[in-house]
């Protein structure tokens, strides 16, 4: 009997799960995505100028070379078909739809125009079809100083894209109108805020170091932030120690004459965003660790920094799907080794299983572990009773051939500019390219 498996979400976790199943005898895998294209965060998250990480898409794409793996794009599970529909048509369903929602700061002024979520800015510069191609053009044209809140790798990506010479970004697959908006950008200063100390930042050293190597960009760190707080936790972390060394060197640099600058502020907790009609300034509270290692406010130390925009880069959050058991606090589907609690035949992998952490490769192991659980349950899985093809007969599914046509169209667009590819930045363009 052929084991039929549906995967919901064609990002890295979904494709790693499909790859891990494809080599098992007598398995058929359908990978669904609400977008017309697969790749998820490899396409719409990983920074376009990080060519080597983005290159993983060629590896992931090979999964569709297997004759027993199909892509079913442009299908929104929950809207076009229900999860019950899938469970009725497959022995097993693996949810790998990630963590798409931004987290909220919960401070006054957060909703002012000019206060934006990093997830939206990243979606825009990577050409996500849900983002308006012109979304941040005016903001960039009218902002000289921008605050980025959070000190993770997404904050580093956003900061780099904001200050990097847009000419250098021309070699990426970013849509041309995004490059043009970045070329016209007036941004000269990016302030990056960490609410805890430099040892607690969650960025990785390679990504951090890159900021200090950008031509025409000065990086500043206040030497006061680099005095190690004896109460600061996590001193044994090797990445943190390497980050600290990089930041310490930057703290000794004398201010240069560069056109653009990045200023790091640690122990700086945003408490409000202010402006009459749009963002004009950010108020931050100085923090410190107390003797128990808890973060506390330093009395009387609140500063106001004039900025034209605020980018909130404080992590992603997963969303529930229908009545699937969900841990609201962690933003993950409740599961044990990838098996969804109380739902035979339903599994999870990736960020919606463990939360938004790790690098792309982390999802390979994670997806393989879920597939192991699924295969161990093989003899007790529910029997499918319907056919998904019949259910979707009147729906415009973008299949593997459609995706390959989109891929070819993006490469053709790129070749006009002497490069590998250029992302098509709208659902209409993608769907049209699928039929060429
Ligand atoms: P992240 O690493 O979890 O960083 C979130 C940051 O937001 C932390 O500095 C956190 O500080 C801060 N934060 C959270 N709540 C806050 C609040 N209320 N006020 C102020 N600051 C707050 O998340 P991410 O940057 O979104 O990255 C998500 C995942 O993708 C990570 O695993 C990351 O490594 C990965 N990623 C990797 C790459 C790459 O490898 N090149 C690129 C992009 C993303 P606290 O620690 O104090 O909570």
């Amino acid at each position: 009997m052929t084991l039929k498996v549906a995967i919901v979400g064609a990002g890295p976790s979904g494709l790693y799960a499909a790859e891990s199943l494809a080599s098992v005898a007598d398995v058929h895998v359908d990978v669904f995505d609400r977008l017309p294209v697969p790749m998820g965060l490899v396409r719409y998250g990983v920074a376009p100028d990080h060519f080597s990480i983005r290159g993983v898409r060629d590896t992931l794409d090979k999964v569709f070379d297997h004759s027993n793996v199909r892509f079913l794009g442009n299908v929104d599970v929950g809207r076009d078909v229900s999860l019950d529909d899938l469970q009725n048509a497959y022995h097993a369903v693996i949810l790998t739809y990630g963590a798409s929602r931004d987290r909220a700061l919960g401070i006054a002024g957060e909703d002012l125009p000019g206060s934006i979520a990093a997830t939206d800015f990243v979606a825009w510069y990577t050409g996500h079809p849900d983002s308006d191609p012109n979304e941040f053009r005016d903001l960039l044209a009218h902002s000289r100083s921008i605050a980025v809140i959070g000190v993770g790798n997404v904050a580093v990506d956003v900061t780099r894209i904001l200050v990097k010479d847009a000419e250098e970004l021309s070699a990426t697959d970013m849509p041309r109108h995004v490059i043009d908006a970045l070329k016209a950008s007036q941004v000269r200063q990016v302030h990056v805020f960490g609410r805890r100390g430099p040892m607690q930042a969650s960025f990785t050293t390679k990504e951090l170091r890159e900021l200090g190597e950008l031509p025409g960009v000065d990086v500043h760190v206040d030497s006061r932030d680099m005095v190690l707080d004896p109460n600061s936790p996590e001193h044994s972390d090797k990445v943190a120690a390497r980050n600290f060394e990089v930041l310490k060197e930057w703290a000794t640099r004398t201010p240069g004459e560069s056109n653009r600058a990045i200023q790091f502020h640690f122990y700086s907790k945003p408490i409000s965003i202010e402006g009459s009609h749009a963002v004009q300034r950010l108020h931050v509270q100085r923090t410190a660790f107390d003797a128990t290692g808890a973060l506390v406010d330093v009395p009387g130390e609140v500063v106001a920094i004039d900025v034209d925009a605020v980018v909130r880069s404080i992590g992603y959050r997963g969303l529930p799907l229908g009545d699937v058991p969900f841990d609201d606090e962690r933003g993950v589907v409740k599961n044990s080794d990838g098996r969804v609690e109380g739902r035979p035949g339903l599994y999870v992998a990736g960020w919606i299983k463990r939360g938004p952490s790790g690098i792309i490769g982390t999802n390979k192991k994670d997806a393989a572990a879920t597939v192991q659980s699924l295969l161990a349950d093989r003899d007790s899985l529910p029997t499918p009773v319907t056919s998904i093809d019949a259910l979707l007969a009147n729906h415009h599914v973008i299949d593997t051939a459609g995706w390959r046509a989109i891929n070819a169209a993006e490469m053709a667009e790129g070749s006009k500019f002497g490069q590998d590819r250029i992302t098509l930045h709208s659902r209409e363009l993608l769907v049209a390219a699928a039929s060429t």
Side-chain angles (χ1 to χ4, degrees):
M1 178 199 60
T2 302
L3 180 70
K4 295 174 74 183
V5 181
I7 295 177
V8 181
S13 302
L15 299 184
Y16 281 130
E19 183 61 54
S20 153
L21 281 163
S23 50
V24 177
D26 228 359
V27 171
H28 173 87
V29 186
D30 282 344
V31 189
F32 292 82
D33 205 291
R34 70 180 187 86
L35 297 179
V37 290
M39 300 297 152
L41 279 186
V42 172
R43 190 177 157 100
Y44 296 122
V46 172
D49 60 337
H50 278 171
F51 295 99
S52 61
I53 311 179
R54 265 176 106 76
V56 78
R57 73 168 129 193
D58 296 335
T59 313
L60 290 172
D61 198 27
K62 287 197 173 66
V63 73
F64 296 117
D65 292 344
H66 295 283
S67 57
N68 60 343
V69 179
R70 295 194 299 178
F71 175 57
L72 284 86
N74 205 31
V75 180
D76 190 327
V77 175
R79 192 191 63 196
D80 302 324
V81 288
S82 68
L83 186 54
D84 285 345
D85 290 335
L86 291 191
Q87 289 213 263
N88 287 333
Y90 297 86
H91 292 96
V93 177
I94 310 179
L95 304 175
T96 57
Y97 61 83
S100 56
R101 175 66 64 84
D102 60 289
R103 293 178 58 231
L105 275 169
I107 61 173
E110 186 166 10
D111 298 325
L112 276 171
S115 164
I116 64 173
T119 46
D120 291 337
F121 187 61
V122 172
W124 173 73
Y125 70 62
T126 54
H128 193 292
D130 287 351
S131 70
D132 175 348
N134 292 320
E135 195 169 354
F136 295 112
R137 192 188 54 190
D138 289 350
L139 182 119
L140 292 172
H142 296 114
S143 299
R144 284 192 73 79
S145 177
I146 293 191
V148 173
I149 298 174
V151 279
N153 277 331
V154 171
V156 170
D157 279 347
V158 164
T159 300
R160 188 179 68 259
I161 296 296
L162 284 171
V163 295
K164 192 166 180 170
D165 181 355
E167 213 50 70
E168 279 194 51
L169 295 171
S170 299
T172 70
D173 60 6
M174 281 174 160
R176 293 298 94 178
H177 50 264
V178 170
I179 306 263
D180 290 344
L182 290 166
K183 279 185 183 164
S185 164
Q186 292 304 304
V187 176
R188 296 292 174 265
Q189 177 90 39
V190 177
H191 294 277
V192 184
F193 295 90
R195 62 178 168 179
R196 300 190 285 160
M199 289 299 278
Q200 288 77 38
S202 55
F203 40 56
T204 40
T205 314
K206 184 165 175 273
E207 280 63 30
L208 177 67
R209 197 175 277 131
E210 198 182 347
L211 291 180
E213 292 163 356
L214 296 173
V217 179
D218 284 336
V219 186
H220 307 298
V221 184
D222 190 336
S223 51
R224 182 188 175 200
D225 292 352
M226 300 309 295
V227 179
L228 260 187
D229 184 332
N231 297 323
S232 159
E234 301 164 40
H235 273 182
S236 56
D237 188 301
K238 276 191 191 140
V239 178
R242 283 198 293 265
N243 287 344
F244 191 81
E245 287 310 307
V246 172
L247 291 160
K248 209 163 73 177
E249 192 267 311
W250 291 350
T252 64
R253 290 187 185 181
T254 46
E257 297 288 303
S258 294
N259 194 22
R260 294 185 177 186
I262 302 166
Q263 171 79 52
F264 278 90
H265 307 257
F266 292 98
Y267 300 106
S268 298
K269 183 180 78 176
I271 51 170
S272 65
I273 303 170
E274 196 183 72
S276 47
H277 303 291
V279 171
Q280 288 176 304
R281 71 196 58 81
L282 174 72
H283 294 268
V284 293
Q285 164 72 58
R286 181 84 185 171
T287 61
F289 292 105
D290 71 10
T292 68
L295 196 68
V296 292
D297 294 349
V298 177
E301 285 210 45
V302 174
V303 291
I305 294 160
D306 287 347
V307 287
D308 305 303
V310 172
V311 185
R312 308 176 313 263
S313 181
I314 61 166
Y316 291 73
R317 214 188 130 63
L319 293 173
L321 177 66
D323 62 354
V324 174
F326 198 74
D327 179 337
D328 268 318
E329 206 162 301
R330 295 181 54 220
V332 297
V333 169
K334 288 185 182 169
N335 74 94
S336 159
D337 295 331
R339 295 177 179 92
V340 176
E341 278 181 18
R343 296 286 291 260
L346 191 60
Y347 298 84
V348 272
W351 279 9
I352 198 60
K353 171 186 175 187
R354 66 171 201 278
S357 64
I359 56 172
I360 302 285
T362 314
N363 297 301
K364 189 172 183 177
K365 231 171 138 184
D366 181 290
T370 292
V371 167
Q372 281 305 315
S373 296
L374 189 161
L375 293 174
D377 301 344
R378 187 171 182 156
D379 294 339
S380 59
L381 291 171
T383 308
V385 290
T386 55
S387 143
I388 203 67
D389 290 359
L391 266 180
L392 288 171
N394 295 317
H395 184 78
H396 187 170
V397 176
I398 308 281
D399 59 9
T400 307
W403 152 237
R404 293 265 148 92
I406 293 172
N407 201 26
E410 293 193 326
M411 286 162 86
E413 188 61 20
S415 71
K416 291 184 198 161
F417 298 86
Q419 59 197 69
D420 285 352
R421 66 176 73 236
I422 289 178
T423 303
L424 297 176
H425 193 167
S426 82
R427 188 175 277 268
E428 290 71 29
L429 285 173
L430 292 168
V431 171
S435 335
T436 51

